[in-house]
Structures are given as C-alpha cells and as structure tokens.
Amino acid sequence: MRSLFFLVTLGSSCALAEFYQTLETDLQFELRGYTQDAAQDQQKDFQASMALSPEWYIEWGGGDNSLTATAFGRVDSADDERSHADFRELHWQGVRGPWEVRFGISRVFWGRTELLHLVDTINQDDALENIDGEDKLGQPMLRLNYVAENGGSTRLFILPYFRERQFAGEEGRLRPPVVVDDSNPLYESGAGQQHVDWALRYQGWLGGLDYGVAWFSGTQRDPKFIAGDIVINPGSTALAPPAAGVIQLAAMNSNLLTPASGELLSLRPFYGQMDQFSIDAQYTGGSWLWKLEALWRDEFNRRGAATSPEIRSRERYTAATAGLEYSFYGVFDSASDIGVLVEYLWDERGLNRGSGFQDDVFIGARWAANDAWDSALLAGAVFDLEVESQFYSIEYSRRLSGSSKLSLEARVFHNIAPADSNFFAVRFDDYLQLEYNWYF
Amino acid sequence: MNLLLVKRATVATLFVLAAPLSVAQYDTMSAPEKGLAIAQEADRRDEGWQDSSATMAMVLRNRQGQESSREMRSKSLEVSDDGDKGLIIFDEPRDVRGTALLTFSHKTGDDDQWLYLPALKRVKRIASSNKSGPFMGSEFAYEDISSQEVEKYTYTYLRDEKLNGLDCFVIERDPVDEDSGYSRQVVWLDKAEYRVHKVEYFDRKQSHLKTLTFHDYKQYLDKHWRAARLEMINHQTLKSTTLSFQDYSFADGLNERDFNQSGLARMR
C-alpha cells in the first residue's frame, strides 16, 4: 500500500505550482491520580505521561492537492501498554470540482450526540487515551466524496486494513480484572485484519435539519471477549472451554477459579463481522438543538460463539440515543453562556451484552465564560435507570497563553451494580486528571 | 459571520434602486425613508465584489491594559438573492488553530452556522441565536461582525454632521431581531463615498455600550472601500479590541463549493 501511496502523490506533484505548508506540534503533559484503591494489586494509583503530536500539512494547486501527516506518541509512567504511538493521519487528498478523493490513513467523524458516539463507526477507539470514545486510531482508507450543488455529500469508504483496539496493561487502571491480551485476537473473517470493510454515507441539510444516513459492512470495531490463557488446575485432564458465565465473571472478578478448567489469566478479543445501517440527525432552531443517533446492526459471530457460550452466533439489534440541548446566553448579566443537555441512551441487547448504555439518562451542563481565556466547564451525570449505577464527569479548561492551555478532568463511578458489567470492572477507577498542552 | 463590517463597511446586498440617489432626492423624504435610502445606497455602491479574502488580527485589551491576540483568515462569497456566505479559519490562539466557522447569513431570520472542530474532525451545526455573545472573547459581538444586510434594521435619518473633517450623514438603525443585544445603533457615513466611519451601540437598557471607529480606508477594484483597522471600545467594561485586516483580495473565483461542510472540513 505504501508504494501505491507514493505513486499517487508523485503523479500529482508534477503539476505542482505553489506550495503552502504548515508544521505544528502539540506537546502534552498529563497527571492522573486515582482516588480509590485499585481492584488489582498490580494496578498503579498514579500515572504521569507525556504525549507529542506533530502535524505536517502541505498543499499545492490552490488546495487541489494536499498531504497531511499527523503522528501521535505517548509515554506513560505506570502502564507500558499506554505508552503507544500511531499515525492519526497520513494521506493524500485531491479535489476536482465536486469530487474529493482521500487515500491513506485518516480519521472521520459521524454523529450528533454528546455523550455516546454511537454511529461513529469508521475509526477504532484509542481506548488507552480516554474512556470518552473521542480519541481514535488512524484508519487506512480510500474515500471518495461527491458534493452536490446543494451541499449534500455522498461518501464511499473502502477500508482495506483493520485497526485492533488496544487495552491497558497489568499496571494500568480502567481495565477488566483479567488483562486483555491484544496480541492474538480471533477474527470471524478468514481474512482477519486484511478483511476489506466498506461504508457508504450520505449527509445533507435542509433548513434547520442536518442529517446523515450510513451503511457499514465489515469488521466490528468493538471486540467481544473469549478466554485467553488458562492455567490448568492439577487433576484436570483437558482444557475445557470455560463454562457459561465465566467470561462475564472474569470481567468483574479476579482470582477466578473454575475447578473443571482452571484459572483464567487473560481475555482474548474476538472481532465479529457486521452489517450496519445508521441514521443521525440534528435539528437546530433558535436556542434549541435536537439530536438523534440510531443504528440497526446484524452481527456475525460464528467463530466467537464456538469458543464462548456467551456470544451469539448471529445477533440483530437496535440501539439509539436522542436528546436536546438548550442554551441560555449572557447569563447573570455577564458574557457567559450556559447550555443544558439531556440525552437518553438505549440498547436492545440490554444491560450486559452491549455498551452498557441500555436504559440510561445523561444530564449535563456546559458553561462558557466567553472570556479572553475561553474558560469552559462541562459537567455531567449518567444514570442507569435499570440498576441505578451512576457516572459523574467534570471537565474544565482555560487558555494560559496564546500557545498553552490547561485542562482538568474528574470522573467518578458510583454505586455500580454488578450486573452493569462494563462499568463494574472499573468501579474503583475514579480519577482526577490535570493536563497541560503546549503548542508550537 | 461575513466580516462584513469590513467587507463592505456598511450594509449589504439588496435589490437596489436602478440609479444612484442624488442628495437632492433625499429632500422630499421623511426621516425613516431617508435613513433607509442612505443604507440602500451604501449597499448598492458596494455590490459586485463577488468574493473576497483577507487575514485578520485582533488585539484584545482589558481595563488593566493586558493584551491577548487572535489571528484569523476570512473568505466571503457575495450572494445576490440572500445574505452572503462566509468562512473564518482560526490560526491563533494555537489551541483553536484549525477551527473554522461557516456562515450562511440570511436577510431575515437566524443565520445558518457550522463549526469545524479539527481535533474530532467534526462539523457541528451551532445555534446562531446567540447574536449578542462575544466573538473570540473580544468586544465584537457576533452580530457586529456578521453580514450587515439592509433588512436586519429599521432606519431613521438623524442629522448631517462633520466627523474628522468629512461631511457625514448620521442615521439610527434599530435591529429587527429580538435576539439582538442592542436597542439601537447610531451610524456616521460620509456623504462622498457612503463609508461607515463610526457606530455607537446602545444596549437594551438604552445605555451607551460601545463605540466602533473605522480607520485607514482603502479602495479596491476602483470600487469597494475597506477599512484596514477597526477600533471597538466598551464604555461599560473599559475593555477594547483592535481588529486589523491585511492582504485583501477580491474576485478570486471562489464559488459555492468552497462554502459547504465538505469545504469547511478542508480549510487550512
């Protein structure tokens, strides 16, 4: 793929006339302290890390051709797995009238809602960065975009290589009690990581309505878990597959011993296939924003189901999130704005088969000072209406100078029910984070 | 937010009177008719710029004199049957670098606005009813830098007056939109070229809130006058903002395709 990449770029640079280029770097220092004792002895209570992200951009032909390269790397004091690097962007883009072609590694965003990016499918989560689903790994792609006169845009994606999710290591927090061994995942497709996924999306707008419809066919971005390494107990004659419920339990409870098979030392990711249709929309009227994301998914998990009784060979389901945002401008006789957000999250699979946002409400408030420092605060709470688990989050940021910024983040898991398995695993991982960004 | 203040130092596109008004024609008009006619004439004189681009620098000063700066680039597209289209790309401060704002302004009703957030590669439609909010923390409100369409105000001619040695019309314009932060604005335009030289802004409590002055006018394409520097002073907070424009360029062949969400995400 690399050689083809260079051919394309060389071919177009013959017509090169006038260059415009930029090189920008974001250096970030992060301190994170966990306020509760860890569930596992190996897990650290404090981590300091540093991330560097340089971006080089060059265009010629008045923007008809461009190259973008964005690298990202982090070094973490506590967790070796969180020390990681990635190309967020490494692509050529050409624009010819209504056509836009992008070839290489890139990031795209689909969606409207604030808490959960339900329909944002193309890029794998960079789960090591944050739990908010907003950091993504670069995805190799060929993207064709046709933009109609009315601004409506039809986008075809060919995705020739799959990015595996990475997980925190033994010493890291925000992970299941049994570590995930991401070095050897199981794929539904015989092509494994080389399975060619594709997607088609149309997005447009009409008056106050912005909307998108999308089809995706390919490898599921969210892995399911099957048993990884197992230590056979003395006396056990064969390596039997773990009994039903074991994986589920392993995700919540360490030192799991099942007399028949042994002790589960690690989890192995399984990536099934899926077809997915999704819609997303936002209606903007006055100070109101109405938001909706919904998907219909058909999963194919035959090989996973053969390994774990908890995985269904074929599963069809619907999930949705919808909500609103209302803004009050110039509150308290100041320049400040306050936005109030409410979103409802639903997943047909129920409590512990999917995202965990199966019957949840998110209530949040956004405060923007509109001052010279761009001070802003976002506070929110998620309530699981079924089992009453709660999640709280506060984010504050302000600019320090023209080239630096300070951010604070606090996340709290409260009263997490064992049945809320995604969150039960991380129930002791409340944290406070201080982040300093320097741009040069 | 077409930066029209600048782009056309007054008022915007409209179906216009076929011939320029002679000053004599104003004599028979009532004060509201004359105010409107002056606004329409200023608008008519700036028609035909097609598209324009410029770089913008802002210096914000608080009452202690501490400064912070902003750098942006703007592109605008003239739309004859509705409000204009505008793009602003933010370069400084660095934490918002790459952020871009697309505005489809309308002669009546709220503008349509989309914000591109480069960190998430996300284009977000934003509520544009927040007209009175500060732009980039400055003393310019969104409505001050948005496209100054004729229909956005009702007018009254107040008087003739000399300003900096120039014979000026002084007119009052009252925002039609209830979301505007102003009860009224008093505008000084010179009689020779219909360029705006000063605007006084009065808040909803009728107190004098801000004064904007225009400096260093230059003519482009033998027709379109643009001020190189704007000074906004807030009399209530004693904060001020200087907005300067450089590298003006007109009729570069920008078209509708540069002003949509795909184009917004491409802006660098």
Side-chain angles (χ1 to χ4, degrees):
Chain A
M1 201 185 88
R2 182 176 292 166
S3 58
L4 184 55
F5 183 74
F6 277 106
L7 270 180
V8 170
T9 55
L10 277 176
S12 27
S13 62
C14 295
L16 139 180
E18 199 178 317
F19 286 106
Y20 166 77
Q21 64 174 337
T22 57
L23 177 64
E24 295 150 31
T25 303
D26 174 7
L27 177 64
Q28 183 203 85
F29 298 94
E30 184 192 278
L31 298 174
R32 202 186 263 187
Y34 296 87
T35 57
Q36 296 194 65
D37 287 339
Q40 310 298 314
D41 293 341
Q42 314 94 308
Q43 290 181 301
K44 299 273 173 62
D45 291 338
F46 178 79
Q47 60 194 140
S49 70
M50 193 176 95
L52 188 70
S53 182
E55 177 172 273
W56 178 62
Y57 171 82
I58 183 165
E59 69 171 41
W60 61 96
D64 283 353
N65 291 284
S66 65
L67 290 175
T68 307
T70 313
F72 173 84
R74 177 180 294 282
V75 181
D76 190 276
S77 69
D79 181 5
D80 291 344
E81 296 292 320
R82 196 165 182 250
S83 296
H84 67 297
D86 183 40
F87 268 110
R88 300 302 204 213
E89 306 277 343
L90 186 60
H91 67 255
W92 162 79
Q93 182 165 279
V95 183
R96 303 288 182 276
W99 292 94
E100 188 184 84
V101 185
R102 187 181 295 186
F103 184 73
I105 295 168
S106 191
R107 158 95 199 262
V108 296
F109 181 86
W110 298 351
R112 312 287 169 188
T113 55
E114 298 304 315
L115 183 77
L116 184 67
H117 301 308
L118 184 70
V119 307
D120 187 23
T121 309
I122 297 290
N123 293 75
Q124 178 64 273
D125 277 0
D126 186 343
L128 296 169
E129 281 299 294
N130 203 312
I131 54 172
D132 60 12
E134 298 201 332
D135 292 284
K136 299 283 181 179
L137 299 177
Q139 169 67 48
M141 67 174 69
L142 170 67
R143 187 182 90 161
L144 294 175
N145 181 10
Y146 176 79
V147 185
E149 285 288 341
N150 64 6
S153 158
T154 309
R155 297 160 183 210
L156 173 70
F157 298 84
I158 306 292
L159 312 165
Y161 186 80
F162 178 72
R163 299 298 311 275
E164 292 165 354
R165 188 169 297 180
Q166 295 168 294
F167 295 89
E170 282 206 319
E171 296 173 315
R173 302 290 284 256
L174 298 160
R175 66 165 175 83
V178 176
V179 294
V180 179
D181 176 10
D182 50 29
S183 63
N184 180 32
L186 178 69
Y187 285 95
E188 175 72 4
S189 164
Q193 212 164 4
Q194 276 76 44
H195 184 271
V196 179
D197 302 341
W198 66 276
L200 187 64
R201 176 175 169 86
Y202 176 81
Q203 60 186 55
W205 68 288
L206 197 65
L209 182 70
D210 287 73
Y211 62 94
V213 290
W215 175 267
F216 175 93
S217 183
T219 309
Q220 294 167 32
R221 270 47 186 159
D222 297 313
K224 300 179 194 311
F225 296 108
I226 59 176
D229 293 332
I230 295 171
V231 173
I232 311 295
N233 279 340
S236 172
T237 51
L239 176 60
V246 167
I247 307 295
Q248 195 62 56
L249 283 168
M252 308 185 306
N253 196 343
S254 65
N255 307 320
L256 185 84
L257 281 167
T258 47
S261 53
E263 185 183 350
L264 189 63
L265 294 184
S266 68
L267 298 171
R268 186 181 176 200
F270 164 70
Y271 294 101
Q273 288 284 305
M274 69 173 178
D275 290 331
Q276 173 182 293
F277 174 71
S278 65
I279 59 168
D280 53 86
Q282 179 181 311
Y283 181 78
T284 308
S287 303
W288 291 92
L289 307 179
W290 301 86
K291 304 169 187 183
L292 168 74
E293 294 187 21
L295 62 80
W296 291 265
R297 196 177 275 186
D298 190 357
E299 291 188 355
F300 307 92
N301 307 315
R302 192 181 47 80
R303 296 177 75 178
T307 318
S308 164
E310 290 154 37
I311 297 176
R312 291 182 193 166
S313 179
R314 182 92 185 262
E315 187 166 26
R316 298 182 188 89
Y317 63 90
T318 304
T321 173
L324 57 91
E325 179 171 350
Y326 183 83
S327 296
F328 301 90
Y329 300 112
V331 294
F332 314 127
D333 254 341
S334 73
S336 299
D337 302 333
I338 289 182
V340 180
L341 297 126
V342 180
E343 290 178 357
Y344 178 73
L345 304 97
W346 175 75
D347 189 319
E348 188 183 348
R349 290 170 295 177
L351 193 55
N352 51 30
R353 298 191 58 77
S355 64
F357 296 115
Q358 84 296 351
D359 182 16
D360 293 39
V361 169
F362 163 63
I363 297 169
R366 204 200 296 274
W367 169 75
N370 291 319
D371 57 2
W373 308 111
D374 224 1
S375 309
L377 187 77
L378 175 64
V382 182
F383 303 97
D384 188 307
L385 301 179
E386 202 172 330
V387 290
E388 296 175 358
S389 300
Q390 293 150 43
F391 170 70
Y392 299 91
S393 170
I394 297 178
E395 296 170 14
Y396 169 80
S397 67
R398 64 157 284 173
R399 188 175 296 138
L400 294 177
S401 74
S403 59
S404 62
K405 184 180 172 179
L406 189 76
S407 312
L408 286 164
E409 184 177 301
R411 307 223 197 260
V412 174
F413 303 91
H414 181 66
N415 194 31
I416 307 292
D420 211 347
S421 55
N422 286 337
F423 299 100
F424 194 71
V426 296
R427 67 195 181 283
F428 299 123
D429 295 339
D430 301 348
Y431 70 82
L432 273 169
Q433 176 178 295
L434 175 70
E435 199 179 284
Y436 171 81
N437 285 74
W438 181 42
Y439 309 89
F440 58 96
Chain B
M1 150 167 353
N2 267 343
L3 299 182
L4 278 227
L5 255 195
V6 186
K7 212 171 60 176
R8 36 173 102 168
T10 15
V11 192
T13 21
L14 183 75
F15 57 95
V16 196
L17 312 170
L21 280 169
S22 71
V23 172
Q25 281 176 273
Y26 290 141
D27 293 346
T28 56
M29 293 178 172
S30 65
E33 284 169 348
K34 186 170 173 182
L36 176 63
I38 291 168
Q40 286 172 340
E41 174 63 10
D43 187 57
R44 193 199 61 80
R45 288 183 177 222
D46 195 47
E47 276 194 332
W49 50 273
Q50 300 176 41
D51 63 76
S52 79
S53 306
T55 58
M56 306 160 60
M58 263 191 194
V59 177
L60 284 55
R61 272 173 229 91
N62 67 12
R63 70 198 301 165
Q64 289 80 33
Q66 286 176 310
E67 294 187 348
S68 60
S69 60
R70 309 276 182 267
E71 284 175 27
M72 294 147 276
R73 284 165 289 145
S74 77
K75 295 171 193 289
S76 308
L77 184 71
E78 187 175 23
V79 178
S80 50
D81 53 353
D82 196 0
D84 301 325
K85 297 185 177 181
L87 259 173
I88 297 180
I89 305 122
F90 298 94
D91 292 326
E92 304 273 348
R94 298 295 292 269
D95 60 297
V96 295
R97 184 163 192 153
T99 304
L101 182 68
L102 172 67
T103 303
F104 292 178
S105 55
H106 299 299
K107 292 178 185 296
T108 53
D110 286 347
D111 295 345
D112 296 311
Q113 285 191 316
W114 293 266
L115 191 64
Y116 174 66
L117 304 167
L120 296 179
K121 311 290 176 198
R122 179 176 186 177
V123 174
K124 211 173 172 175
R125 177 81 161 262
I126 57 173
S128 60
S129 54
N130 182 21
K131 298 183 172 58
S132 58
F135 175 74
M136 297 290 284
S138 74
E139 296 315 302
F140 287 88
Y142 279 90
E143 62 187 305
D144 302 338
I145 60 164
S146 68
S147 189
Q148 303 291 303
E149 310 294 335
V150 172
E151 293 84 347
K152 290 187 173 180
Y153 305 93
T154 58
Y155 300 84
T156 309
Y157 165 79
L158 296 179
R159 60 185 180 272
D160 287 0
E161 194 172 283
K162 263 201 189 308
L163 182 74
N164 305 328
L166 290 168
D167 283 325
C168 288
F169 298 115
V170 184
I171 61 171
E172 178 181 315
R173 60 184 189 196
D174 301 343
V176 172
D177 197 312
E178 289 175 0
D179 290 328
S180 169
Y182 309 120
S183 54
R184 63 195 168 95
Q185 301 173 6
V186 179
V187 183
W188 281 255
L189 303 99
D190 71 73
K191 290 183 175 180
E193 299 288 349
Y194 286 75
R195 296 167 300 194
V196 173
H197 292 272
K198 184 163 103 166
V199 183
E200 289 181 347
Y201 297 89
F202 293 84
D203 66 16
R204 287 283 174 192
K205 294 165 190 156
Q206 299 291 344
S207 325
H208 187 186
L209 178 63
K210 301 188 293 193
T211 300
L212 174 65
T213 52
F214 296 75
H215 307 268
D216 308 328
Y217 266 107
K218 202 179 152 192
Q219 196 173 24
Y220 296 86
L221 305 180
D222 291 328
K223 184 173 183 189
H224 310 288
W225 288 97
R226 297 292 181 272
R229 183 167 56 88
L230 280 64
E231 300 282 354
M232 181 74 94
I233 295 166
N234 187 316
H235 303 291
Q236 296 179 1
T237 63
L238 301 180
K239 292 196 251 182
S240 66
T241 300
T242 302
L243 174 58
S244 328
F245 292 83
Q246 279 188 316
D247 306 323
Y248 259 117
S249 117
F250 289 84
D252 291 330
L254 299 182
N255 61 47
E256 299 277 341
R257 294 199 188 284
D258 300 301
F259 293 85
N260 60 42
Q261 292 181 54
S262 295
L264 177 66
R266 274 203 304 267
M267 279 303 147
R268 301 296 292 246

